[in-house]
Structure formats: C-alpha cells, structure tokens
Amino acid sequence: MQISLEEQFQQKIDQEIKIEPKDWMPEKYRHTLIRQISQHAHSEVVGMLPEGNWITRAPSLKRKAILLAKVQDEAGHGLYLYSAAETLGISRDEMYEQLHSGRAKYSSIFNYPTLNWADIGAIGWLVDGAAIMNQVPLCRTSFGPYARAMVRVCKEESFHQRQGFECLWVLSKGTEEQKKMCQDAINRWWWPCLMMFGPKDDESPNTMQNMQWKIKRFTNDALRQKFVDMIAEQIKLLGMKLPDPDLKWNEATAHYDYGKINWDEFWQVVQGNGPCNKERLAARKNAWDEGAWVREAATAHAEKNQIKISSMLHPNDINLGS
Ligand SMILES: [Fe+2]
Ligand SMILES: [Fe+2]
C-alpha cells in the first residue's frame, strides 16, 4: 500500500528516527524550526549583552575568568544554532536581518538590566537554569542537526547554572550588604524567569502540532512547574526567599503551587517595550555595522586563498614543479 510523504514523515518521527536536512518535510515543519532555531540562536547572542556589562567590573580575577568563559560559551551556542538553522535553507544574513529589523524575537529575559554583581549569579542560576529545563528535552527533538547541537549546549549550560549558584552561595554567606544584593537580584529575576517558558498552555496554539512532530516534548506549563519545584528547594540552601507569597508545597499534587504571573508585563516586553529592548537591539546593530570591515577582510582573504589553492592544484603547475 502506498503511503503519502506526510505519513512517511510522521512514521519516522513516531519511530524516533531523526529528520535530516535533505529529507522530505512539511513546509510548516521547516518554517517552525527555522523560527525556533533562529530565535534560539538570537537569544544566545543577545544574552551575552547583559552579562558583558559586568566583565570589566567582576570582583576578582577568578570571577572575571569564569564570566568570560561563560559569555564565550554563549557565543558558541549562537554559532552552532545558526549553523543548524542554515541546514533548513535560510542564510545567516537573512537571520541577522530579521533580528536587526525587529521581525525575529529573542528570549524576553534579556531585555532586563543587570544592576548589581549578584545579577550575574542570579542569571546563571535562574536564567540558565530555566534554559536547561527547556533545552534538555531538545536533545531529543526530531530534527537531527538541532538535537545534536543541543547535546553540547546543555553540557555547557549545566556549568553556567552551577557557577551562578556558587556565586550566589558566596554572597549569601557574606556581609549583610552582600546578602541584600543576593536577595535583591533573586527578587528581580524570579518572575521574568517564569515567563521564559512562554504563554500558558491554553494560550499556546501550536503546542499540539509541535508535540506531534516532537519539536516539543513537554508543554510550557509542565516545564515551568518543574522549574518552580527545583528552585523552591535549591533556594533553601541559600537561605534566601522567592518573592512569591503564594509559593507553597501542595501535598495533593506533589508540586509547589505558585502565584499569578504578570502576563501584561510579558507581552509588553515581547512587543519591544521592556526596560532594555531598544538598547539590546542597538548594540547588536552596532556590532554588525562595526564588524563590516572584518567580514570584508575575511571574505577577501578566503577568495585569495581559493585562487592560490586552485592554481596549486592545476595539473600544469604540478608538472612544472616536478
Ligand atoms: Fe547558552
Ligand atoms: Fe548559558
């Protein structure tokens, strides 16, 4: 019996066989992945900006080295992901253009400012922690290049989360002023981190299709709950508090209940009206414009090398040399 391309495609997914770039795929699958992977790549790259703010102000050489390594990792994540998206038929220039024109989004969390050193710890522990929750299931996503990129990304993310927790751990055992800084950073990052999982399930219309295609393995609310359960326990070790009076262990569900998320704030930030949206986009555009000479020089160098290599390989040249 003949089955359609679409049915063959779904069968592969059901059997956990990865979809590779040259395989047939529905256009909607391709577009969904281009959007998701490129937005993920943009998030890694824009995510360097809030932390970059503290590289020159890190309190010790050790902290500076850790932060530099982490920020470099994020640049690397961006590069793996841009490469994965390119295998779906979009160019890197197009993706940059979408970011710079504001048509492509990146994670709303990076539109918040880093006001004190403890923010660097809170970003590692909470922001990278939320990213890991989202990203570990992506190691099993149905599109091969994305899944393989995520394996390495997740290993590095777990280092990011540990260094963030350790940074806050030290502050939480420090002076009164350091403890206050630590609590202040947690207070400001907690709610925006819960928003990182995206809208509630009943307002997330593509979830069912994406789960059927195994682009998504868990719903937004399920991942958010896992994150709350994890952090509500870890924070006890720091002796700090989460800024949510409704946070409470629920025996019946065996999960933590938590308070209402301010979705108005979320949509405001997504629509470009967060505290740092304009600054972040301007920094990216500026980096692109100022890097034009580097790209031109690299292209000219590559072309020159190409000419050299092809003339070296010319049979006449080889004969002449012998
Ligand atoms: Fe990352
Ligand atoms: Fe990270």
Side-chain angles (χ1 to χ4, degrees), residues 163-193:
Q163 67 81 35
F165 185 80
E166 195 265 348
C167 172
L168 292 187
W169 170 266
V170 170
L171 291 173
S172 74
K173 307 286 171 267
T175 63
E176 275 315 304
E177 201 180 343
Q178 286 172 321
K179 286 180 192 164
K180 260 194 208 139
M181 262 169 62
C182 182
Q183 184 63 61
D184 170 58
I186 293 168
N187 291 349
R188 282 180 292 105
W189 289 94
W190 175 244
W191 291 105
C193 278

PDB file of all heavy atoms in Angstrom, residues 163-193:
ATOM      1  N   GLN A 163      27.893  27.649  38.214  1.00  0.00           N
ATOM      2  CA  GLN A 163      28.706  28.808  38.587  1.00  0.00           C
ATOM      3  C   GLN A 163      27.808  29.925  39.129  1.00  0.00           C
ATOM      4  O   GLN A 163      28.188  30.657  40.033  1.00  0.00           O
ATOM      5  CB  GLN A 163      29.623  29.283  37.436  1.00  0.00           C
ATOM      6  CG  GLN A 163      28.929  29.876  36.212  1.00  0.00           C
ATOM      7  CD  GLN A 163      28.516  31.332  36.366  1.00  0.00           C
ATOM      8  OE1 GLN A 163      29.213  32.108  37.020  1.00  0.00           O
ATOM      9  NE2 GLN A 163      27.395  31.693  35.766  1.00  0.00           N
ATOM     10  N   GLY A 164      26.589  30.017  38.604  1.00  0.00           N
ATOM     11  CA  GLY A 164      25.663  31.043  39.096  1.00  0.00           C
ATOM     12  C   GLY A 164      25.257  30.763  40.527  1.00  0.00           C
ATOM     13  O   GLY A 164      25.257  31.660  41.380  1.00  0.00           O
ATOM     14  N   PHE A 165      24.944  29.506  40.799  1.00  0.00           N
ATOM     15  CA  PHE A 165      24.546  29.144  42.154  1.00  0.00           C
ATOM     16  C   PHE A 165      25.701  29.383  43.122  1.00  0.00           C
ATOM     17  O   PHE A 165      25.513  29.948  44.212  1.00  0.00           O
ATOM     18  CB  PHE A 165      24.106  27.667  42.205  1.00  0.00           C
ATOM     19  CG  PHE A 165      23.574  27.273  43.558  1.00  0.00           C
ATOM     20  CD1 PHE A 165      22.269  27.586  43.922  1.00  0.00           C
ATOM     21  CD2 PHE A 165      24.387  26.625  44.481  1.00  0.00           C
ATOM     22  CE1 PHE A 165      21.780  27.249  45.185  1.00  0.00           C
ATOM     23  CE2 PHE A 165      23.909  26.292  45.743  1.00  0.00           C
ATOM     24  CZ  PHE A 165      22.602  26.599  46.095  1.00  0.00           C
ATOM     25  N   GLU A 166      26.897  29.020  42.713  1.00  0.00           N
ATOM     26  CA  GLU A 166      28.073  29.171  43.593  1.00  0.00           C
ATOM     27  C   GLU A 166      28.353  30.652  43.859  1.00  0.00           C
ATOM     28  O   GLU A 166      28.730  31.038  44.969  1.00  0.00           O
ATOM     29  CB  GLU A 166      29.270  28.466  42.945  1.00  0.00           C
ATOM     30  CG  GLU A 166      30.445  28.239  43.881  1.00  0.00           C
ATOM     31  CD  GLU A 166      31.502  29.338  43.802  1.00  0.00           C
ATOM     32  OE1 GLU A 166      31.458  30.163  42.869  1.00  0.00           O
ATOM     33  OE2 GLU A 166      32.362  29.376  44.691  1.00  0.00           O
ATOM     34  N   CYS A 167      28.148  31.478  42.845  1.00  0.00           N
ATOM     35  CA  CYS A 167      28.347  32.923  43.008  1.00  0.00           C
ATOM     36  C   CYS A 167      27.371  33.464  44.068  1.00  0.00           C
ATOM     37  O   CYS A 167      27.761  34.206  44.982  1.00  0.00           O
ATOM     38  CB  CYS A 167      28.129  33.587  41.642  1.00  0.00           C
ATOM     39  SG  CYS A 167      28.105  35.359  41.656  1.00  0.00           S
ATOM     40  N   LEU A 168      26.108  33.038  43.998  1.00  0.00           N
ATOM     41  CA  LEU A 168      25.116  33.494  44.984  1.00  0.00           C
ATOM     42  C   LEU A 168      25.376  32.857  46.354  1.00  0.00           C
ATOM     43  O   LEU A 168      25.136  33.481  47.393  1.00  0.00           O
ATOM     44  CB  LEU A 168      23.695  33.158  44.527  1.00  0.00           C
ATOM     45  CG  LEU A 168      23.177  33.913  43.304  1.00  0.00           C
ATOM     46  CD1 LEU A 168      21.700  33.599  43.093  1.00  0.00           C
ATOM     47  CD2 LEU A 168      23.374  35.415  43.413  1.00  0.00           C
ATOM     48  N   TRP A 169      25.856  31.636  46.348  1.00  0.00           N
ATOM     49  CA  TRP A 169      26.167  30.926  47.593  1.00  0.00           C
ATOM     50  C   TRP A 169      27.170  31.746  48.414  1.00  0.00           C
ATOM     51  O   TRP A 169      26.995  31.964  49.610  1.00  0.00           O
ATOM     52  CB  TRP A 169      26.734  29.544  47.236  1.00  0.00           C
ATOM     53  CG  TRP A 169      27.320  28.778  48.367  1.00  0.00           C
ATOM     54  CD1 TRP A 169      28.634  28.746  48.733  1.00  0.00           C
ATOM     55  CD2 TRP A 169      26.629  27.926  49.287  1.00  0.00           C
ATOM     56  NE1 TRP A 169      28.806  27.936  49.805  1.00  0.00           N
ATOM     57  CE2 TRP A 169      27.589  27.412  50.177  1.00  0.00           C
ATOM     58  CE3 TRP A 169      25.292  27.547  49.435  1.00  0.00           C
ATOM     59  CZ2 TRP A 169      27.266  26.548  51.210  1.00  0.00           C
ATOM     60  CZ3 TRP A 169      24.976  26.676  50.464  1.00  0.00           C
ATOM     61  CH2 TRP A 169      25.935  26.191  51.338  1.00  0.00           C
ATOM     62  N   VAL A 170      28.222  32.206  47.727  1.00  0.00           N
ATOM     63  CA  VAL A 170      29.258  33.001  48.407  1.00  0.00           C
ATOM     64  C   VAL A 170      28.641  34.302  48.941  1.00  0.00           C
ATOM     65  O   VAL A 170      28.858  34.667  50.103  1.00  0.00           O
ATOM     66  CB  VAL A 170      30.444  33.276  47.452  1.00  0.00           C
ATOM     67  CG1 VAL A 170      31.414  34.291  48.045  1.00  0.00           C
ATOM     68  CG2 VAL A 170      31.170  31.971  47.134  1.00  0.00           C
ATOM     69  N   LEU A 171      27.848  34.960  48.133  1.00  0.00           N
ATOM     70  CA  LEU A 171      27.223  36.219  48.587  1.00  0.00           C
ATOM     71  C   LEU A 171      26.278  35.956  49.764  1.00  0.00           C
ATOM     72  O   LEU A 171      26.209  36.755  50.702  1.00  0.00           O
ATOM     73  CB  LEU A 171      26.450  36.882  47.433  1.00  0.00           C
ATOM     74  CG  LEU A 171      27.305  37.458  46.297  1.00  0.00           C
ATOM     75  CD1 LEU A 171      26.405  37.913  45.148  1.00  0.00           C
ATOM     76  CD2 LEU A 171      28.178  38.616  46.769  1.00  0.00           C
ATOM     77  N   SER A 172      25.566  34.837  49.703  1.00  0.00           N
ATOM     78  CA  SER A 172      24.565  34.565  50.743  1.00  0.00           C
ATOM     79  C   SER A 172      25.220  34.241  52.095  1.00  0.00           C
ATOM     80  O   SER A 172      24.555  34.248  53.124  1.00  0.00           O
ATOM     81  CB  SER A 172      23.650  33.410  50.321  1.00  0.00           C
ATOM     82  OG  SER A 172      24.345  32.181  50.413  1.00  0.00           O
ATOM     83  N   LYS A 173      26.521  33.940  52.065  1.00  0.00           N
ATOM     84  CA  LYS A 173      27.235  33.679  53.325  1.00  0.00           C
ATOM     85  C   LYS A 173      28.098  34.887  53.707  1.00  0.00           C
ATOM     86  O   LYS A 173      28.938  34.803  54.600  1.00  0.00           O
ATOM     87  CB  LYS A 173      28.162  32.447  53.177  1.00  0.00           C
ATOM     88  CG  LYS A 173      27.471  31.214  52.667  1.00  0.00           C
ATOM     89  CD  LYS A 173      26.570  30.568  53.735  1.00  0.00           C
ATOM     90  CE  LYS A 173      25.728  29.462  53.155  1.00  0.00           C
ATOM     91  NZ  LYS A 173      24.398  29.847  52.699  1.00  0.00           N
ATOM     92  N   GLY A 174      27.928  35.990  52.979  1.00  0.00           N
ATOM     93  CA  GLY A 174      28.813  37.146  53.171  1.00  0.00           C
ATOM     94  C   GLY A 174      28.272  38.179  54.150  1.00  0.00           C
ATOM     95  O   GLY A 174      27.555  37.837  55.109  1.00  0.00           O
ATOM     96  N   THR A 175      28.589  39.436  53.914  1.00  0.00           N
ATOM     97  CA  THR A 175      28.166  40.523  54.784  1.00  0.00           C
ATOM     98  C   THR A 175      26.666  40.783  54.603  1.00  0.00           C
ATOM     99  O   THR A 175      26.054  40.286  53.652  1.00  0.00           O
ATOM    100  CB  THR A 175      28.910  41.818  54.414  1.00  0.00           C
ATOM    101  OG1 THR A 175      28.543  42.160  53.066  1.00  0.00           O
ATOM    102  CG2 THR A 175      30.427  41.653  54.497  1.00  0.00           C
ATOM    103  N   GLU A 176      26.113  41.621  55.502  1.00  0.00           N
ATOM    104  CA  GLU A 176      24.692  41.975  55.376  1.00  0.00           C
ATOM    105  C   GLU A 176      24.410  42.586  54.007  1.00  0.00           C
ATOM    106  O   GLU A 176      23.394  42.300  53.371  1.00  0.00           O
ATOM    107  CB  GLU A 176      24.300  42.974  56.474  1.00  0.00           C
ATOM    108  CG  GLU A 176      23.922  42.324  57.802  1.00  0.00           C
ATOM    109  CD  GLU A 176      22.989  41.120  57.649  1.00  0.00           C
ATOM    110  OE1 GLU A 176      21.907  41.278  57.055  1.00  0.00           O
ATOM    111  OE2 GLU A 176      23.359  40.010  58.096  1.00  0.00           O
ATOM    112  N   GLU A 177      25.337  43.427  53.565  1.00  0.00           N
ATOM    113  CA  GLU A 177      25.148  44.114  52.283  1.00  0.00           C
ATOM    114  C   GLU A 177      25.148  43.108  51.120  1.00  0.00           C
ATOM    115  O   GLU A 177      24.345  43.201  50.195  1.00  0.00           O
ATOM    116  CB  GLU A 177      26.270  45.134  52.100  1.00  0.00           C
ATOM    117  CG  GLU A 177      25.909  46.220  51.115  1.00  0.00           C
ATOM    118  CD  GLU A 177      27.049  47.229  50.951  1.00  0.00           C
ATOM    119  OE1 GLU A 177      27.950  47.251  51.823  1.00  0.00           O
ATOM    120  OE2 GLU A 177      27.027  47.965  49.958  1.00  0.00           O
ATOM    121  N   GLN A 178      26.038  42.122  51.205  1.00  0.00           N
ATOM    122  CA  GLN A 178      26.092  41.095  50.149  1.00  0.00           C
ATOM    123  C   GLN A 178      24.824  40.241  50.154  1.00  0.00           C
ATOM    124  O   GLN A 178      24.289  39.894  49.099  1.00  0.00           O
ATOM    125  CB  GLN A 178      27.340  40.222  50.327  1.00  0.00           C
ATOM    126  CG  GLN A 178      28.608  40.961  49.922  1.00  0.00           C
ATOM    127  CD  GLN A 178      29.869  40.188  50.276  1.00  0.00           C
ATOM    128  OE1 GLN A 178      29.956  39.563  51.335  1.00  0.00           O
ATOM    129  NE2 GLN A 178      30.858  40.243  49.407  1.00  0.00           N
ATOM    130  N   LYS A 179      24.334  39.924  51.345  1.00  0.00           N
ATOM    131  CA  LYS A 179      23.083  39.149  51.432  1.00  0.00           C
ATOM    132  C   LYS A 179      21.930  39.920  50.798  1.00  0.00           C
ATOM    133  O   LYS A 179      21.086  39.356  50.106  1.00  0.00           O
ATOM    134  CB  LYS A 179      22.747  38.841  52.897  1.00  0.00           C
ATOM    135  CG  LYS A 179      23.627  37.777  53.496  1.00  0.00           C
ATOM    136  CD  LYS A 179      23.234  37.519  54.937  1.00  0.00           C
ATOM    137  CE  LYS A 179      24.296  36.673  55.610  1.00  0.00           C
ATOM    138  NZ  LYS A 179      24.216  36.663  57.051  1.00  0.00           N
ATOM    139  N   LYS A 180      21.919  41.225  51.058  1.00  0.00           N
ATOM    140  CA  LYS A 180      20.852  42.067  50.488  1.00  0.00           C
ATOM    141  C   LYS A 180      20.925  42.093  48.964  1.00  0.00           C
ATOM    142  O   LYS A 180      19.902  42.022  48.278  1.00  0.00           O
ATOM    143  CB  LYS A 180      20.997  43.504  51.015  1.00  0.00           C
ATOM    144  CG  LYS A 180      20.043  43.802  52.141  1.00  0.00           C
ATOM    145  CD  LYS A 180      19.957  45.294  52.395  1.00  0.00           C
ATOM    146  CE  LYS A 180      19.618  45.515  53.845  1.00  0.00           C
ATOM    147  NZ  LYS A 180      20.347  46.617  54.455  1.00  0.00           N
ATOM    148  N   MET A 181      22.132  42.210  48.452  1.00  0.00           N
ATOM    149  CA  MET A 181      22.335  42.206  46.992  1.00  0.00           C
ATOM    150  C   MET A 181      21.806  40.909  46.390  1.00  0.00           C
ATOM    151  O   MET A 181      21.146  40.896  45.345  1.00  0.00           O
ATOM    152  CB  MET A 181      23.845  42.266  46.683  1.00  0.00           C
ATOM    153  CG  MET A 181      24.368  43.621  46.357  1.00  0.00           C
ATOM    154  SD  MET A 181      26.186  43.620  46.333  1.00  0.00           S
ATOM    155  CE  MET A 181      26.567  42.489  45.035  1.00  0.00           C
ATOM    156  N   CYS A 182      22.114  39.822  47.070  1.00  0.00           N
ATOM    157  CA  CYS A 182      21.720  38.484  46.606  1.00  0.00           C
ATOM    158  C   CYS A 182      20.185  38.396  46.550  1.00  0.00           C
ATOM    159  O   CYS A 182      19.606  37.994  45.529  1.00  0.00           O
ATOM    160  CB  CYS A 182      22.314  37.472  47.578  1.00  0.00           C
ATOM    161  SG  CYS A 182      21.993  35.775  47.154  1.00  0.00           S
ATOM    162  N   GLN A 183      19.530  38.812  47.644  1.00  0.00           N
ATOM    163  CA  GLN A 183      18.063  38.751  47.698  1.00  0.00           C
ATOM    164  C   GLN A 183      17.441  39.679  46.659  1.00  0.00           C
ATOM    165  O   GLN A 183      16.462  39.320  45.987  1.00  0.00           O
ATOM    166  CB  GLN A 183      17.570  39.096  49.114  1.00  0.00           C
ATOM    167  CG  GLN A 183      16.061  38.974  49.281  1.00  0.00           C
ATOM    168  CD  GLN A 183      15.549  37.549  49.077  1.00  0.00           C
ATOM    169  OE1 GLN A 183      15.931  36.631  49.804  1.00  0.00           O
ATOM    170  NE2 GLN A 183      14.693  37.349  48.072  1.00  0.00           N
ATOM    171  N   ASP A 184      18.031  40.861  46.500  1.00  0.00           N
ATOM    172  CA  ASP A 184      17.510  41.838  45.532  1.00  0.00           C
ATOM    173  C   ASP A 184      17.555  41.268  44.100  1.00  0.00           C
ATOM    174  O   ASP A 184      16.606  41.398  43.329  1.00  0.00           O
ATOM    175  CB  ASP A 184      18.333  43.131  45.634  1.00  0.00           C
ATOM    176  CG  ASP A 184      18.015  44.100  44.512  1.00  0.00           C
ATOM    177  OD1 ASP A 184      16.830  44.477  44.390  1.00  0.00           O
ATOM    178  OD2 ASP A 184      18.933  44.462  43.733  1.00  0.00           O
ATOM    179  N   ALA A 185      18.678  40.609  43.779  1.00  0.00           N
ATOM    180  CA  ALA A 185      18.805  40.040  42.424  1.00  0.00           C
ATOM    181  C   ALA A 185      17.757  38.936  42.221  1.00  0.00           C
ATOM    182  O   ALA A 185      17.104  38.882  41.180  1.00  0.00           O
ATOM    183  CB  ALA A 185      20.215  39.496  42.211  1.00  0.00           C
ATOM    184  N   ILE A 186      17.594  38.085  43.228  1.00  0.00           N
ATOM    185  CA  ILE A 186      16.598  36.998  43.115  1.00  0.00           C
ATOM    186  C   ILE A 186      15.200  37.599  42.934  1.00  0.00           C
ATOM    187  O   ILE A 186      14.420  37.148  42.094  1.00  0.00           O
ATOM    188  CB  ILE A 186      16.655  36.075  44.357  1.00  0.00           C
ATOM    189  CG1 ILE A 186      17.986  35.323  44.374  1.00  0.00           C
ATOM    190  CG2 ILE A 186      15.475  35.111  44.388  1.00  0.00           C
ATOM    191  CD1 ILE A 186      18.298  34.609  45.678  1.00  0.00           C
ATOM    192  N   ASN A 187      14.898  38.635  43.714  1.00  0.00           N
ATOM    193  CA  ASN A 187      13.575  39.282  43.610  1.00  0.00           C
ATOM    194  C   ASN A 187      13.306  39.787  42.196  1.00  0.00           C
ATOM    195  O   ASN A 187      12.203  39.663  41.692  1.00  0.00           O
ATOM    196  CB  ASN A 187      13.481  40.487  44.554  1.00  0.00           C
ATOM    197  CG  ASN A 187      13.465  40.064  46.004  1.00  0.00           C
ATOM    198  OD1 ASN A 187      13.325  38.886  46.315  1.00  0.00           O
ATOM    199  ND2 ASN A 187      13.627  41.032  46.908  1.00  0.00           N
ATOM    200  N   ARG A 188      14.313  40.383  41.573  1.00  0.00           N
ATOM    201  CA  ARG A 188      14.072  40.976  40.253  1.00  0.00           C
ATOM    202  C   ARG A 188      14.034  39.940  39.132  1.00  0.00           C
ATOM    203  O   ARG A 188      13.384  40.138  38.115  1.00  0.00           O
ATOM    204  CB  ARG A 188      15.111  42.059  39.959  1.00  0.00           C
ATOM    205  CG  ARG A 188      14.798  43.363  40.700  1.00  0.00           C
ATOM    206  CD  ARG A 188      15.815  44.471  40.436  1.00  0.00           C
ATOM    207  NE  ARG A 188      17.108  44.144  41.021  1.00  0.00           N
ATOM    208  CZ  ARG A 188      18.177  43.748  40.336  1.00  0.00           C
ATOM    209  NH1 ARG A 188      18.133  43.663  39.015  1.00  0.00           N
ATOM    210  NH2 ARG A 188      19.304  43.461  40.954  1.00  0.00           N
ATOM    211  N   TRP A 189      14.782  38.821  39.281  1.00  0.00           N
ATOM    212  CA  TRP A 189      14.867  37.867  38.166  1.00  0.00           C
ATOM    213  C   TRP A 189      13.821  36.765  38.219  1.00  0.00           C
ATOM    214  O   TRP A 189      13.555  36.100  37.225  1.00  0.00           O
ATOM    215  CB  TRP A 189      16.289  37.272  38.084  1.00  0.00           C
ATOM    216  CG  TRP A 189      17.265  38.299  37.598  1.00  0.00           C
ATOM    217  CD1 TRP A 189      18.045  39.123  38.372  1.00  0.00           C
ATOM    218  CD2 TRP A 189      17.530  38.675  36.236  1.00  0.00           C
ATOM    219  NE1 TRP A 189      18.777  39.973  37.577  1.00  0.00           N
ATOM    220  CE2 TRP A 189      18.484  39.718  36.267  1.00  0.00           C
ATOM    221  CE3 TRP A 189      17.054  38.233  34.999  1.00  0.00           C
ATOM    222  CZ2 TRP A 189      18.964  40.329  35.097  1.00  0.00           C
ATOM    223  CZ3 TRP A 189      17.539  38.837  33.838  1.00  0.00           C
ATOM    224  CH2 TRP A 189      18.480  39.872  33.900  1.00  0.00           C
ATOM    225  N   TRP A 190      13.238  36.536  39.396  1.00  0.00           N
ATOM    226  CA  TRP A 190      12.356  35.374  39.538  1.00  0.00           C
ATOM    227  C   TRP A 190      11.180  35.369  38.556  1.00  0.00           C
ATOM    228  O   TRP A 190      10.992  34.443  37.777  1.00  0.00           O
ATOM    229  CB  TRP A 190      11.852  35.263  40.986  1.00  0.00           C
ATOM    230  CG  TRP A 190      10.842  34.163  41.147  1.00  0.00           C
ATOM    231  CD1 TRP A 190       9.531  34.299  41.490  1.00  0.00           C
ATOM    232  CD2 TRP A 190      11.063  32.750  40.972  1.00  0.00           C
ATOM    233  NE1 TRP A 190       8.918  33.072  41.542  1.00  0.00           N
ATOM    234  CE2 TRP A 190       9.839  32.099  41.215  1.00  0.00           C
ATOM    235  CE3 TRP A 190      12.181  31.980  40.607  1.00  0.00           C
ATOM    236  CZ2 TRP A 190       9.683  30.721  41.123  1.00  0.00           C
ATOM    237  CZ3 TRP A 190      12.021  30.593  40.514  1.00  0.00           C
ATOM    238  CH2 TRP A 190      10.791  29.990  40.775  1.00  0.00           C
ATOM    239  N   TRP A 191      10.389  36.438  38.571  1.00  0.00           N
ATOM    240  CA  TRP A 191       9.177  36.423  37.728  1.00  0.00           C
ATOM    241  C   TRP A 191       9.505  36.431  36.237  1.00  0.00           C
ATOM    242  O   TRP A 191       8.922  35.639  35.477  1.00  0.00           O
ATOM    243  CB  TRP A 191       8.236  37.569  38.121  1.00  0.00           C
ATOM    244  CG  TRP A 191       7.626  37.348  39.479  1.00  0.00           C
ATOM    245  CD1 TRP A 191       7.957  37.981  40.642  1.00  0.00           C
ATOM    246  CD2 TRP A 191       6.610  36.394  39.833  1.00  0.00           C
ATOM    247  NE1 TRP A 191       7.209  37.490  41.682  1.00  0.00           N
ATOM    248  CE2 TRP A 191       6.373  36.521  41.225  1.00  0.00           C
ATOM    249  CE3 TRP A 191       5.882  35.446  39.108  1.00  0.00           C
ATOM    250  CZ2 TRP A 191       5.430  35.744  41.895  1.00  0.00           C
ATOM    251  CZ3 TRP A 191       4.941  34.670  39.772  1.00  0.00           C
ATOM    252  CH2 TRP A 191       4.727  34.820  41.153  1.00  0.00           C
ATOM    253  N   PRO A 192      10.449  37.273  35.796  1.00  0.00           N
ATOM    254  CA  PRO A 192      10.804  37.191  34.366  1.00  0.00           C
ATOM    255  C   PRO A 192      11.303  35.797  33.949  1.00  0.00           C
ATOM    256  O   PRO A 192      11.086  35.364  32.827  1.00  0.00           O
ATOM    257  CB  PRO A 192      11.914  38.242  34.206  1.00  0.00           C
ATOM    258  CG  PRO A 192      11.623  39.240  35.287  1.00  0.00           C
ATOM    259  CD  PRO A 192      11.114  38.428  36.446  1.00  0.00           C
ATOM    260  N   CYS A 193      11.948  35.074  34.900  1.00  0.00           N
ATOM    261  CA  CYS A 193      12.389  33.701  34.566  1.00  0.00           C
ATOM    262  C   CYS A 193      11.204  32.770  34.357  1.00  0.00           C
ATOM    263  O   CYS A 193      11.242  31.907  33.479  1.00  0.00           O
ATOM    264  CB  CYS A 193      13.289  33.135  35.662  1.00  0.00           C
ATOM    265  SG  CYS A 193      14.959  33.711  35.467  1.00  0.00           S
TER     266      CYS A 193
END
